[in-house]
């Protein structure tokens, strides 16, 4: 790749937008795969998502909050994540409103209507400025769209799909999930619902999650090209466990990949069972990926009290609605079941919002505005919600091992007792609590905690000594790069990135209404 393109403003790196026929078509995975493939070619590449709606977020080294998917795409690109890569992050607090995080810092709550009725359009300049800065400092920027570019009800205010592509004059590749069925209709319909000006940027398609003999698909691809004048740039096969840190949905993003790559049986005589309470507005459930990476650790999400009965460890994860999640735990009998576990000396771990729920009292005039609410009373902690959000990248030691993590919370915890300090939180008996996300990715600490859990649970479980979570994540990102290198038309992708939108792409009627 020649690395730089000349534009009116000087040297500008190449660009590409990966759009999708639907949500969860594979945009995040394809973007990460292209980033890793380019990085392996020596290209200075960066990911970009103008606007992301997710409860899974990450804190950069400069203290900015961005989507976890963009942080993982940065890892795929082998660059440090920054706020430029995800300038707008929306964190849902209900079905109708979200916290708006702009350039890594929260700027307020907005309803969906309020956001789309004016605020979103105002952010286009910020978004394009961030993309321009990345293009000035990198050879290529691979952008990820959101949802579908053919959401005609939202096109006027769009800043993440065709609105961004039009503003930055970058080509668009549309990804379709053939495993869902109807991929040809989705490609054709997506293109045909775009205006003539938007269609002029749609340069081709990528089929994702194909099973079987690709030669059986080729007649359809030829007909699609005849109908749209656009080629399919690759057919990516279905492969388990290739998802990077998810934006939404109830998934453990690495668990499938780890189960495929770790073929060794449990290191000890028994497995360890981990139950994660699937609380409302669950955030950063990716924290438990590192537990699932351990041979012999079985992780599952639960929402019924009886599902805790055989669990050796119960995890209360983070949540965007601590008070709401607490009410949910009580309504479903999970709060009582957790209290019984604690009384029996059976392990419970609370992370961020889960830590707050385990405390004695919560004063919340910020998130839920519920005032003073009783917590589960299992940790000697009082929590007060502050207007300013804590965003930090702490490091320390616990259980005799070094630990790194990141913090994203409004709740300020006052620890008034306990048996020992634990990552700025505390332990009381078999109940542990901390605000630190990502701490379980520290291998030595994770193994030490699992040994304590196994001892408290009476399990003959022994952590495998050689599991390296960072290496497993790198292995996964390399698999994504392999997918692009082996199954996509990389020469065509390079041309799009280097040369921009090809001339003469035909219009497919009827176009936007």
């Amino acid at each position: 790749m020649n690395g730089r393109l000349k534009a009116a403003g000087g040297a500008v790196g190449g660009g590409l937008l990966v759009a999708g026929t639907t949500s969860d078509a594979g945009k995040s995975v394809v973007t990460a795969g292209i980033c890793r493939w380019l990085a392996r070619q020596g290209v200075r590449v960066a990911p970009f998502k103008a606007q992301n709606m997710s409860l899974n977020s990450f804190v950069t080294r400069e203290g900015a909050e961005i989507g976890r998917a963009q942080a993982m795409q940065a890892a795929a690109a082998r660059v440090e994540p920054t706020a430029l890569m995800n300038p707008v992050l929306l964190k849902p607090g209900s079905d109708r409103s979200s916290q708006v995080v702009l350039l890594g810092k929260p700027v307020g709550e907005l309803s969906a209507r309020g956001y789309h009725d004016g605020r979103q359009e105002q952010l286009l300049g910020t978004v394009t400025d961030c993309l321009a800065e990345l293009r000035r400092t990198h050879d290529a920027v691979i952008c990820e769209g959101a949802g579908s570019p053919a959401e005609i009800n939202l096109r006027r205010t769009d800043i993440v799909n065709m609105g961004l592509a039009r503003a930055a004059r970058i080509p668009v590749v549309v990804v379709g999930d053939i495993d869902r069925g109807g991929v040809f209709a989705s490609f054709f319909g997506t293109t045909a619902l775009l205006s003539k000006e938007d269609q002029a940027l749609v340069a081709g398609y990528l089929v994702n999650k194909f099973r079987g003999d690709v030669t059986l698909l080729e007649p359809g691809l030829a007909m699609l090209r005849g109908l749209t004048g656009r080629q399919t740039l690759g057919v990516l096969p279905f492969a388990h466990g290739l998802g990077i840190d998810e934006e939404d949905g109830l998934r453990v993003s690495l668990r499938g990949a780890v189960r495929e790559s770790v073929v060794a049986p449990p290191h000890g005589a028994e497995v360890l069972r981990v139950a994660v309470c699937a609380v409302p507005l669950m955030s950063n459930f990716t924290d438990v990926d590192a537990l699932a990476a351990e041979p012999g650790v079985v992780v599952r999400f639960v929402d019924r009290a009886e599902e805790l009965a055989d669990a050796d460890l119960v995890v209360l994860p983070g949540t965007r609605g601590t008070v709401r999640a607490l009410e949910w735990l009580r309504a479903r009998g999970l709060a009582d079941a957790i209290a019984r576990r604690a009384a029996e000396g059976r392990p419970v771990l609370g992370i961020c919002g889960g830590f707050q729920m385990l405390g004695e009292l919560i004063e919340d005039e910020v998130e839920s505005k519920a005032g003073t609410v009783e917590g589960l009373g299992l940790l000697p902690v009082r929590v007060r919600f502050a207007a300013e959000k804590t965003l930090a990248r702490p490091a320390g030691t616990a259980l005799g091992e070094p630990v790194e993590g990141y913090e994203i919370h409004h709740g300020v915890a006052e620890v008034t007792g306990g048996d020992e300090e634990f990552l700025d939180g505390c332990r009381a008996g078999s109940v542990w609590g901390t605000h630190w996300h990502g701490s379980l990715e520290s291998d030595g600490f994770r193994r030490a905690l699992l040994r304590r859990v196994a001892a408290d649970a009476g399990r003959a479980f022994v952590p495998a000594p050689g599991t390296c979570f960072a290496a497993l994540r790198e292995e996964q990102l390399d698999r994504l790069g392999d997918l692009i290198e082996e199954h996509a038309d990389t020469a065509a992708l390079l041309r799009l990135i280097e040369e921009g939108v090809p001339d003469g792409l035909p219009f497919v009627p009827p176009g936007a209404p």
Side-chain angles (χ1 to χ4, degrees):
M1 181 173 180
N2 63 26
R4 308 299 280 183
L5 295 178
K6 295 294 181 181
V12 178
L16 181 71
L17 175 69
V18 178
T21 57
T22 62
S23 295
D24 203 30
K27 297 184 292 292
S28 296
V29 165
V30 169
T31 300
I34 294 175
C35 284
R36 175 48 59 100
W37 160 64
L38 287 172
R40 293 195 304 209
Q41 312 307 309
V43 176
R44 295 175 299 171
V45 59
F48 181 78
K49 185 159 186 173
Q51 172 194 295
N52 194 353
M53 178 173 282
S54 178
L55 287 172
N56 284 337
S57 58
F58 181 76
V59 178
T60 67
R61 295 211 177 274
E62 72 266 33
E65 184 179 9
I66 65 172
R68 272 200 67 98
Q70 279 61 66
M72 287 294 287
Q73 288 164 352
R78 295 175 176 155
V79 295
E80 189 69 30
T82 73
L84 292 174
M85 297 173 184
N86 180 203
V88 182
L89 173 64
L90 306 178
K91 302 193 73 175
S94 70
D95 292 339
R96 293 179 177 270
S97 68
S98 294
Q99 182 181 66
V100 180
V101 179
L102 180 62
L103 292 173
K105 304 296 180 183
V107 294
E109 296 272 341
L110 275 180
S111 68
R113 178 169 292 278
Y115 183 68
H116 288 288
D117 275 356
R119 180 60 168 157
Q120 188 177 30
E121 278 185 292
Q122 297 168 12
L123 295 174
L124 180 60
T126 299
V127 162
T128 54
D129 286 347
C130 290
L131 176 56
E133 178 61 25
L134 287 174
R135 293 180 74 182
R136 279 193 292 269
T137 54
H138 294 79
D139 298 333
V141 179
I142 308 304
C143 308
E144 179 188 344
S148 162
E151 290 168 351
I152 53 179
N153 56 315
L154 303 177
R155 176 60 185 90
R156 180 180 62 83
T157 58
D158 171 50
I159 63 172
V160 64
N161 290 308
M162 302 313 298
L164 177 69
R166 285 267 293 274
R169 291 300 302 170
I170 54 175
V172 178
V173 173
V174 181
V175 178
D177 180 357
I178 197 170
D179 198 50
R180 295 182 176 188
V183 74
F184 294 116
S186 297
F187 283 143
F188 181 84
T190 296
T191 308
L193 274 177
L194 300 179
S195 68
K196 183 176 182 180
E197 294 79 9
D198 285 352
Q199 284 192 29
L201 301 177
V202 176
Y205 311 111
L206 269 171
V207 175
N208 192 28
K209 301 182 186 177
F210 179 72
R211 307 173 192 251
D213 183 351
V214 73
T215 61
L216 298 176
L217 194 65
E218 288 171 354
L221 300 179
M223 285 186 274
L224 180 67
R225 182 164 189 173
L227 288 165
T228 67
R230 292 155 175 86
Q231 64 175 323
T232 298
L233 303 174
V235 178
L236 310 182
F238 187 98
H240 292 283
L242 287 181
I244 63 173
D245 288 10
E246 306 293 342
E247 293 180 358
D248 297 296
L250 192 58
R251 284 185 201 171
V252 183
S253 61
L254 270 174
R255 182 167 56 182
V258 168
R259 282 181 173 172
E260 290 175 3
S261 59
V262 178
V263 296
H267 197 67
E270 293 184 286
V271 300
L272 207 64
R273 295 174 175 84
V274 178
V276 184
C277 294
V279 297
L281 298 174
M282 184 169 54
S283 61
N284 287 69
F285 56 83
T286 48
D287 282 331
V288 299
D289 285 351
L291 295 178
E294 289 285 348
V297 176
V298 179
V299 178
R300 67 182 188 274
F301 289 98
V302 303
D303 60 4
R304 296 181 298 178
E306 57 268 27
E307 294 178 293
L308 304 187
D310 66 343
D312 303 306
L313 171 65
V314 169
V315 176
L316 284 179
T319 172
R320 173 84 164 85
T322 300
V323 170
R324 175 177 167 183
L326 194 54
E327 294 171 349
W328 181 86
L329 289 174
R330 288 178 168 136
R332 301 185 74 88
L334 284 158
D336 290 338
I338 291 168
R340 287 193 297 271
R341 287 183 62 89
E344 296 165 359
R346 301 172 67 195
V348 177
L349 171 64
I351 302 173
C352 200
F355 167 43
Q356 297 166 6
M357 288 185 275
L358 291 170
E360 298 168 342
L361 207 65
I362 298 171
E363 297 178 23
D364 182 12
E365 298 292 350
V366 175
E367 191 174 77
S368 68
K369 298 180 173 58
T372 302
V373 177
E374 287 190 9
L376 297 178
L378 302 180
L379 287 176
V381 174
R382 290 174 173 251
V383 176
R384 177 184 55 82
F385 274 68
E388 186 173 345
K389 182 186 285 191
T390 296
L391 297 170
R393 288 280 292 269
T397 59
L399 303 179
E401 298 287 346
V403 189
E404 294 183 356
Y406 57 99
E407 295 183 67
I408 306 170
H409 54 91
H410 283 278
V412 178
E414 179 190 0
V415 179
T416 60
D419 297 324
E420 64 177 302
E421 184 183 352
F422 178 67
L423 302 178
D424 294 336
C426 67
R427 175 185 69 84
S430 62
V431 181
W432 311 71
T434 177
H435 271 134
W436 292 23
H437 293 291
S439 60
L440 294 168
E441 296 180 18
S442 299
D443 297 324
F445 164 70
R446 181 180 65 252
R447 288 192 279 269
L449 181 64
L450 289 175
R451 282 192 291 269
R452 288 284 292 270
V453 167
D456 288 347
R459 291 285 185 190
F461 170 84
V462 180
T467 304
C468 176
F469 185 75
L472 288 171
R473 183 159 51 193
E474 274 297 297
E475 176 186 307
Q476 183 194 34
L477 294 173
D478 273 331
R479 291 178 66 203
L480 296 179
D482 293 343
L483 204 67
I484 298 300
E485 188 168 346
E486 296 169 9
H487 300 282
D489 186 342
T490 53
L493 289 175
L494 273 180
R495 281 195 300 273
L496 290 176
I497 294 167
E498 291 187 312
E499 301 172 11
V501 183
D503 294 328
L505 292 170
F507 173 69
V508 180

